[in-house]
Amino acid sequence: MYSDTLLYYTISEVIKIVGPTTIISDRNEIYSEAGFYDTQKDIAQLERNSSIKGEEQQLDGDTIFYDRNTGFGEVFSNMFLHDTTNHVIIKGDYGYYNELTQRALATKRAVLMQIHQNDTLFLHADTLRADPIPDTEFQMIRAYRNVKFFRPDFQGRCDSMVYNLQDSINTFYKDPVLWANRNQMSASSIKLYTRNRALYKAELIENAFVIGPEDTASYNQIKGRHMTGYIKDNKLYRIDVEGNGQTIYYPKEEGEVIGVNKAESSNLTILLEEQEVTGIILRNQPSGNLNPPDFLTRDARRLEGFRWLEEYRPKTMMDIFKHDVAPEAVSQINYSDFHFDRSMPTR
């Protein structure tokens, strides 16, 4: 124990921290500028500029209750948990972390910060949880209720989310809506796949719908039962649709729109360059037609279930904290894959 000033009570063997103090053990390093440490019970109450630093995680907060025997640290105000192994930061106004079980929870303005190459994704939910995946060094992160996230080139919202750090799959549940640059993606649930911390594939499961504006009144649209989008450098370059594929897009010649193409097929593939449709491959009983731009009515130029939800899109990092009304749900999700666990880890 290192300190410039402290008080030691010889009978109770309790140390009162009254200045910058560092307590070092084999497991971690504790720092605080005010509080108490019971040397008999190995219990600490850290009350100013406090932190507990382990080999792979660091827990900070204004006030921390810490029990070295159980590994439990409870944080009141300005919780900050940095997991250097998984490149994840969890923040909140209240939370806890157990260094033995590696379970964590954050709530009250809870934020998950996930580092992607040169950008950071900021995700807010009512509650965030992190739990270890058995027999691995990785974690499963769950976000419950009112999920919103923001990155300059990527935003979204849904009810709940599960992020598996072992296989780098993010799953968004219950009517999620994601925005990637100019494209809007929605489905009953959505899976995002990353490799080397870069997004390379998006899987839209049931009621899949992708919309990209052609201009202020016209939208390229793709709809189907199941959809897989392939991404490079944060841009969609191919979309495969399986089941009830439908599309509306605006082909161009020399940069000018020449018509409105409506096509249907059981399965289809859309090819894109710089977010523009460059080709479409129809498979299994295809049908389609090309009409002059002004020939179809507004409703005829929109597929059934069309929803342009730009007003719900988080435009800045601070927008993830706005409590607005979510867009009306179009379907319900089966939570059988969600592994929702209402139990909380004990101290």
Side-chain angles (χ1 to χ4, degrees):
M1 182 177 296
Y2 302 89
S3 179
D4 60 0
T5 305
L6 56 80
L7 299 175
Y8 179 63
Y9 299 90
T10 57
I11 297 177
S12 61
E13 299 187 34
V14 171
I15 294 170
K16 182 177 181 181
I17 301 170
V18 294
T21 300
T22 302
I23 305 171
I24 299 175
S25 70
D26 293 337
R27 187 192 300 167
N28 55 36
E29 180 178 305
I30 298 172
Y31 175 84
S32 186
E33 296 175 5
F36 298 89
Y37 188 87
D38 189 326
T39 61
Q40 286 279 30
K41 297 180 180 179
D42 271 337
I43 293 175
Q45 182 169 312
L46 314 173
E47 299 175 348
R48 184 186 305 145
N49 296 332
S50 307
S51 68
I52 302 172
K53 184 178 181 181
E55 292 184 1
E56 299 174 347
Q57 291 84 19
Q58 178 167 328
L59 178 66
D60 298 345
D62 287 352
T63 300
I64 301 176
F65 169 85
Y66 174 64
D67 186 338
R68 189 186 296 277
N69 301 300
T70 62
F72 183 84
E74 188 174 20
V75 186
F76 301 88
S77 185
N78 293 323
M79 174 188 178
F80 185 99
L81 175 63
H82 186 191
D83 185 332
T84 57
T85 299
N86 294 297
H87 306 284
V88 165
I89 295 171
I90 295 176
K91 300 174 63 177
D93 285 342
Y94 169 80
Y96 59 72
Y97 174 68
N98 190 309
E99 62 185 355
L100 299 183
T101 64
Q102 295 186 332
R103 297 181 184 274
L105 177 143
T107 187
K108 298 182 179 179
R109 290 181 68 86
V111 179
L112 169 71
M113 301 168 63
Q114 183 181 350
I115 301 169
H116 290 269
Q117 295 179 329
N118 297 324
D119 289 320
T120 300
L121 182 143
F122 298 87
L123 182 145
H124 167 66
D126 291 352
T127 302
L128 293 172
R129 278 187 56 182
D131 300 290
I133 300 173
D135 303 320
T136 75
E137 62 179 357
F138 301 101
Q139 288 184 309
M140 186 85 73
I141 295 177
R142 296 175 173 89
Y144 297 137
R145 309 294 177 259
N146 302 314
V147 176
K148 291 184 185 179
F149 60 88
F150 173 84
R151 199 175 73 185
D153 59 343
F154 186 54
Q155 304 86 38
R157 61 186 299 157
C158 63
D159 176 76
S160 307
M161 180 214 75
V162 174
Y163 180 33
N164 186 324
L165 291 166
Q166 183 177 17
D167 54 22
S168 298
I169 297 177
N170 244 333
T171 305
F172 302 88
Y173 292 93
K174 199 173 181 182
D175 202 39
V177 184
L178 310 183
W179 294 269
N181 294 312
R182 298 176 63 221
N183 295 298
Q184 172 186 295
M185 298 177 286
S186 61
S188 295
S189 62
I190 297 177
K191 291 180 180 286
L192 297 183
Y193 298 78
T194 57
R195 183 187 295 133
N196 298 323
R197 285 183 275 166
L199 182 64
Y200 74 92
K201 185 171 73 171
E203 189 176 6
L204 283 64
I205 303 167
E206 297 295 336
N207 302 313
F209 211 132
V210 173
I211 303 173
E214 177 62 36
D215 53 41
T216 56
S218 304
Y219 301 87
N220 295 303
Q221 302 155 60
I222 307 167
K223 178 184 176 183
R225 179 177 54 82
H226 188 106
M227 198 179 300
T228 304
Y230 299 91
I231 300 163
K232 186 176 181 180
D233 298 327
N234 293 322
K235 295 179 181 178
L236 278 168
Y237 68 89
R238 172 178 172 146
I239 299 174
D240 291 335
V241 183
E242 300 177 15
N244 307 112
Q246 301 175 54
T247 180
I248 291 178
Y249 72 98
Y250 295 77
K252 295 180 180 179
E253 286 187 1
E254 298 181 354
E256 296 293 329
V257 173
I258 61 172
V260 183
N261 193 317
K262 298 185 69 174
E264 296 184 4
S265 181
S266 296
N267 302 317
L268 57 88
T269 295
I270 307 291
L271 304 177
L272 305 98
E273 288 184 9
E274 297 299 325
Q275 304 180 65
E276 298 285 346
V277 175
T278 59
I280 178 170
I281 303 170
L282 305 175
R283 304 182 182 90
N284 300 332
Q285 299 179 333
S287 65
N289 55 69
L290 179 66
N291 292 286
D294 299 326
F295 181 78
L296 298 176
T297 65
R298 175 180 176 275
D299 290 340
R301 287 184 279 119
R302 296 187 176 182
L303 296 173
E304 184 179 357
F306 176 93
R307 299 184 303 163
W308 182 239
L309 303 172
E310 186 69 15
E311 63 182 294
Y312 298 98
R313 182 177 190 172
K315 303 298 196 305
T316 68
M317 190 273 284
M318 294 306 298
D319 285 348
I320 64 177
F321 296 107
K322 288 183 178 179
H323 290 277
D324 55 4
V325 178
E328 183 179 353
V330 295
S331 60
Q332 297 296 320
I333 187 65
N334 182 350
Y335 276 76
S336 59
D337 293 332
F338 192 71
H339 305 299
F340 184 84
D341 181 8
R342 295 184 180 276
S343 65
M344 294 296 181
T346 61
R347 294 188 181 182

